[in-house]
């Protein structure tokens, strides 16, 4: 029996993981104390259960962060390549966002009324992403949920289609996976009262014939997808796949929603502008307002006209879209500042160069040690995967994820001052990331590999 995972002995993974967990515990007494105190009122000591997903014996409590650096309550400094799991993609507290927070704080935070920033934001979004009409939500989950509801209202069709392994926040309809070729609820889903597979079709990414077959019945209102899957490892589209998705949608009267919340790392206009995609809806959240909670969703003039018709036909009442804090004054100010002064071409040039340098460095580390791993990239987002070849769909990507091995690597890096995404081996570079940050992370990944290979 092969007693190894991705070229690393299982026993050695266990040894490194246990040792690094003990090292973390010894080095973080303040975090341990805060976690114990917080557990009186917060399960596992955290206000959001995702905060326990780092593989540490107790949560790491943060004191402050700025640029590409983060400091914990025990005084340890980290070079941050996680960046709030994309929420701080452009660095922690960029100066233009800080100025907005200070200024707007004295003028009211939320009115449920528009401000003078709105027409400027509309122009900036249209110029950047190519869609003429926009709405603002509090999160990408909300934006995706609202767009899907509109798609059903416009088309009169009940169903949506997702790709296996997708991630679109916590939108119910997207929590469907394939298991042995059958649609099932996503593993771990809690409290689900209705069968999501009744109104959600799911096919593999990069399988155009399967998509075309699923759309043939013309009961799908909307296909929702990222340009590349990013939350189950990384799955890049094969040449022609996204164009094929667009053609299949148009041929069957199905609307297309592109979720750029993660793939905005590609460039100033995301993958959509870089690849000249023409979706009916486009969603961007997380980092769009520089870390202030905010999301935007855009749509075509044809969709806007259809929305107006659908709303008139429905009559007065609650549309089911919107939240009271959506498009609040603070979020609008931060959104405008981020679009104008943070998400610049110069910022992206630096981010992309740093990420390419990081990806090349880790490829060299992997090759030098003969590990059956690879590196994939989406702009400023790079990921090293403990599998020999890039996956072409969600099933292959899931098989390439090795929780214990990844946890051992993450703990090793964290204990030496580096943060990467806790869910898999994803890294992000921001405008504040330096070449020295990159080189030091590459060296630390090399040291982690050497430690895991010790005694092999």
């Amino acid at each position: 029996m092969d007693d190894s995972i991705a070229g690393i002995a299982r026993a050695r993974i266990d040894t490194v993981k246990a040792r690094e967990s003990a090292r973390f515990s010894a080095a973080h007494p303040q975090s341990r104390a805060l976690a114990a105190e917080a557990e009186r009122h917060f399960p596992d000591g955290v206000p959001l259960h995702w905060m326990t997903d780092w593989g540490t014996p107790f949560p790491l409590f943060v004191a402050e962060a700025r640029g590409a650096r983060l400091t914990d309550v025990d005084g340890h400094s980290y070079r941050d390549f996680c960046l709030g799991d994309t929420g701080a993609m452009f660095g922690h507290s960029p100066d233009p966002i800080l100025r907005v927070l200070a200024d707007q704080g004295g003028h009211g935070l939320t009115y449920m009324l528009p401000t003078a920033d709105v027409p400027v934001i509309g122009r900036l979004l249209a110029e950047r992403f190519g869609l003429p009409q926009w709405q603002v939500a509090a999160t990408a989950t909300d934006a995706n949920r609202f767009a899907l509801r509109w798609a059903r209202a416009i088309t009169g069709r009940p169903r949506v289609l997702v790709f296996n392994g997708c991630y679109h926040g916590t939108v119910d309809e997207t929590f469907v996976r394939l298991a042995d070729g059958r649609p099932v609820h996503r593993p771990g889903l809690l409290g689900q009262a209705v069968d999501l597979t009744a109104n959600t079709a799911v096919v593999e990414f990069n399988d155009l014939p399967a998509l075309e077959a699923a759309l043939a019945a013309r009961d799908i209102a909307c296909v929702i997808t990222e340009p590349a899957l990013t939350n189950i490892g990384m799955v890049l589209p094969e040449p022609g796949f996204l164009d094929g998705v667009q053609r299949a949608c148009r041929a069957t009267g199905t609307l297309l929603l592109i979720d750029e919340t993660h793939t905005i790392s590609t460039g100033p206009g995301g993958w959509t502008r870089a690849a000249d995609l023409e979706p009916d809806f486009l969603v961007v959240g997380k980092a769009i307002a520089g870390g202030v909670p905010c999301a935007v969703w855009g749509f075509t003039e044809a969709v806007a006209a259809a929305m107006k018709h659908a709303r008139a036909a429905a009559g007065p009442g609650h549309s089911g879209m919107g939240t009271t804090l959506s498009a609040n004054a603070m979020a609008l100010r931060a959104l405008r500042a981020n679009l104008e002064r943070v998400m610049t071409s110069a910022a992206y040039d630096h981010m992309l160069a740093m990420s390419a340098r990081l990806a090349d460095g880790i490829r060299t580390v992997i090759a030098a040690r003969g590990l059956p791993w690879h590196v994939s990239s989406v702009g400023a987002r790079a990921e090293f995967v403990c599998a020999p070849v890039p996956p072409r769909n969600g099933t292959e990507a899931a098989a390439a994820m090795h929780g214990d091995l990844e946890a051992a690597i993450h703990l090793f890096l964290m204990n030496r001052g580096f943060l990467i995404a806790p869910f898999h081996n994803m890294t992000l570079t921001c405008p504040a990331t330096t070449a020295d940050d990159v080189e030091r992370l590459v060296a630390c990944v090399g040291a982690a590999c050497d430690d895991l290979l010790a005694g092999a």
Side-chain angles (χ1 to χ4, degrees), residues 134-156:
W134 291 87
Q135 291 280 270
V136 178
T139 69
T141 290
D142 284 343
N144 282 320
R145 183 182 294 120
F146 301 156
L148 290 178
R149 184 179 285 269
W150 273 119
R152 292 194 295 267
I154 289 168
T155 64

Side-chain angles (χ1 to χ4, degrees), residues 29-54:
Q30 293 301 317
S31 278
R32 182 195 289 275
L34 285 170
E37 183 180 358
E39 281 182 350
R40 299 175 187 173
H41 304 291
F42 295 97
D44 298 318
V46 293
L48 171 66
H49 74 85
W50 294 359
M51 294 176 180
T52 64
D53 288 347
W54 292 78

Side-chain angles (χ1 to χ4, degrees), residues 62-325:
V62 177
E64 62 178 354
R66 187 74 193 274
R69 294 287 193 280
L70 181 146
T71 303
D72 68 27
V73 293
D74 286 285
H76 304 297
S77 179
Y78 303 85
R79 298 170 193 261
D80 190 1
F81 290 86
C82 174
L83 298 171
D85 190 31
T86 305
M89 180 185 290
F90 304 105
H92 297 287
S93 301
D95 285 338
I97 304 301
L98 282 179
R99 289 193 292 271
V100 161
L101 294 174
D103 182 62
Q104 188 62 38
H107 294 86
L109 303 180
T110 184
Y111 326 129
M112 208 178 77
L113 288 167
T115 69
D117 291 313
V118 170
V120 178
I121 290 168
R123 173 179 56 79
L124 292 170
L125 290 170
E127 291 173 353
R128 181 178 290 262
F129 296 108
L131 287 165
Q133 299 290 318
W134 291 87
Q135 291 280 270
V136 178
T139 69
T141 290
D142 284 343
N144 282 320
R145 183 182 294 120
F146 301 156
L148 290 178
R149 184 179 285 269
W150 273 119
R152 292 194 295 267
I154 289 168
T155 64
R157 299 175 178 181
R159 307 184 74 210
V160 300
L161 183 143
V162 301
F163 291 106
N164 187 35
C166 71
Y167 180 70
H168 302 288
T170 53
V171 177
D172 283 5
E173 296 96 320
T174 68
F175 276 65
V176 178
R177 294 289 185 266
L178 284 176
D180 299 323
R182 296 183 303 103
V184 298
H185 286 178
R186 179 173 174 168
L189 183 60
L190 294 171
Q192 187 57 46
V194 299
D195 181 5
L196 298 177
T197 67
N199 284 312
T200 300
V202 55
V203 300
E204 292 285 13
F205 198 73
N206 282 319
D207 190 342
L208 196 55
L211 172 70
E212 293 168 342
L215 298 186
R218 295 177 181 260
D219 63 347
I220 303 292
C222 186
V223 171
I224 176 172
T225 186
E226 297 179 275
L229 302 186
T230 61
N231 212 63
I232 190 163
M234 196 176 289
V235 182
L236 304 183
E238 295 178 343
F241 175 68
L242 295 176
D243 289 336
V245 172
Q246 291 190 150
R247 287 194 303 271
C249 286
R250 289 171 181 161
T252 57
T254 307
L255 298 175
L256 175 61
L257 189 164
I258 298 292
D259 184 352
E260 290 266 16
T261 297
H262 285 176
T263 55
I264 191 64
S265 60
T266 307
W271 195 304
T272 296
R273 292 313 293 270
D276 293 323
L277 302 179
E278 297 179 349
D280 300 288
F281 295 99
L282 182 141
V283 167
V284 189
K286 286 193 177 180
I288 195 66
V292 173
C294 184
V296 297
W297 52 290
F299 40 95
T300 64
E301 294 287 8
V303 166
M307 290 164 69
K308 184 175 292 187
H309 177 77
R311 190 163 189 175
H318 196 297
S319 67
M321 272 76 78
T323 61
T324 302
L325 293 180

